[in-house]
Amino acid sequence: MLSSKITTFYGRLPSLGLASLAGTRLAHSLPDLGYEYNALEPVVSADIMKLHHLKHHNTYVTNLNTVEEQIAEAAANGDVEKAISLQPALKFNGGGHLNHSIFWTNLSPNGGGEPTGDLMDTIRRDFGSFDDFKTELNTKTVAIQGSGWGWLGFNPTTGRLRIAMCANQDPLQPTTGLIPLLGIDVWEHAYYLQYKNVRLDYVKAIWNIINWSNVSQRLDEAKMAN
């Protein structure tokens, strides 16, 4: 019974590539950015990118591997209480790894401007205009209390785009059912060294490095899987 419960919980995080508890567990690793740490300047400084990627994201990866080992041990020992007590750490660190792995690909030194093709058509259909979409995502993301993420997601049930906020490192799809397309990290470590406490300036500036090709690809994949 314990193994089935834990496997069900893991099943909500398919993008992590978690191995079955009955088999060999695959360790997670820090993904490459795909660009240099200074490539997103002046929007995001090299110092922030190094701190964010090498320290914060890497910590989520390290802690995720540790908590998975602890859960596997609890499963092997039939320790239900221990397994349950570890689930918040799995959600936090697993979410941190998932969210940042998406975030890095959502950004590009060649980004910015506006999307084209099906993505733009879908944004206009669901939000009225691209400017209306940006305003809504900016407003809701800046208003997040404490730390969290602003998301553009795809609803596989309705086939429509939706904006959603997630607290802390809660992953979008397991939390809301929306497939993540574009995320904006508003934890202070993502911007404070450069933008201080003016979150709005950071959120406005990040549009200049959004990788619309990546967002479009994610939309295409979400529609194909639906």
Side-chain angles (χ1 to χ4, degrees), residues 138-161:
N138 283 353
T139 300
K140 291 182 176 180
T141 301
V142 170
I144 292 173
Q145 294 184 343
S147 301
W149 292 74
W151 289 100
L152 172 66
F154 176 78
N155 188 323
T157 301
T158 64
R160 302 184 74 86
L161 301 179

Side-chain angles (χ1 to χ4, degrees), residues 201-218:
D201 287 353
Y202 157 72
V203 171
K204 285 183 175 179
I206 205 168
W207 293 99
N208 293 314
I209 52 173
I210 296 298
N211 184 353
W212 291 115
S213 294
N214 178 262
V215 181
S216 295
Q217 181 181 349
R218 290 181 179 279

Side-chain angles (χ1 to χ4, degrees), residues 99 151-153 164-166 170-181:
N99 294 340
W151 289 100
L152 172 66
M165 306 298 108
C166 287
D170 292 0
L172 183 68
Q173 191 165 2
T175 303
T176 67
L178 300 174
I179 299 172
L181 305 180

Side-chain angles (χ1 to χ4, degrees), residues 52-209:
H52 201 170
H53 182 244
L54 294 175
K55 299 296 184 181
H56 291 279
H57 189 177
N58 195 49
T59 297
Y60 295 126
V61 172
T62 299
N63 291 343
L64 175 60
N65 284 324
T66 298
V67 75
E68 284 186 7
E69 291 174 357
Q70 294 172 336
I71 289 175
E73 181 180 357
N77 294 332
D79 191 342
V80 178
E81 291 182 354
K82 180 66 172 179
I84 291 173
S85 72
L86 291 167
Q87 290 188 11
L90 176 63
K91 180 180 181 182
F92 181 76
N93 292 290
H97 181 36
L98 275 174
N99 294 340
H100 286 87
S101 296
I102 295 169
F103 184 56
W104 307 134
T105 66
N106 280 166
L107 305 179
S108 170
N110 300 313
E114 298 184 355
T116 58
D118 183 53
L119 176 58
M120 178 61 102
D121 292 341
T122 308
I123 287 173
R124 287 171 173 163
R125 182 198 69 186
D126 293 342
F127 297 100
S129 70
F130 181 68
D131 286 342
D132 288 343
F133 155 67
K134 281 180 62 176
T135 298
E136 182 178 348
L137 184 54
N138 283 353
T139 300
K140 291 182 176 180
T141 301
V142 170
I144 292 173
Q145 294 184 343
S147 301
W149 292 74
W151 289 100
L152 172 66
F154 176 78
N155 188 323
T157 301
T158 64
R160 302 184 74 86
L161 301 179
R162 207 183 109 198
I163 288 172
M165 306 298 108
C166 287
N168 300 313
Q169 293 296 351
D170 292 0
L172 183 68
Q173 191 165 2
T175 303
T176 67
L178 300 174
I179 299 172
L181 305 180
L182 170 64
I184 300 177
D185 184 355
V186 288
W187 279 67
E188 285 192 342
H189 62 240
Y191 64 89
Y192 196 85
L193 288 178
Q194 187 171 352
Y195 293 89
K196 307 307 179 187
N197 64 337
V198 190
R199 179 185 284 179
L200 177 59
D201 287 353
Y202 157 72
V203 171
K204 285 183 175 179
I206 205 168
W207 293 99
N208 293 314
I209 52 173

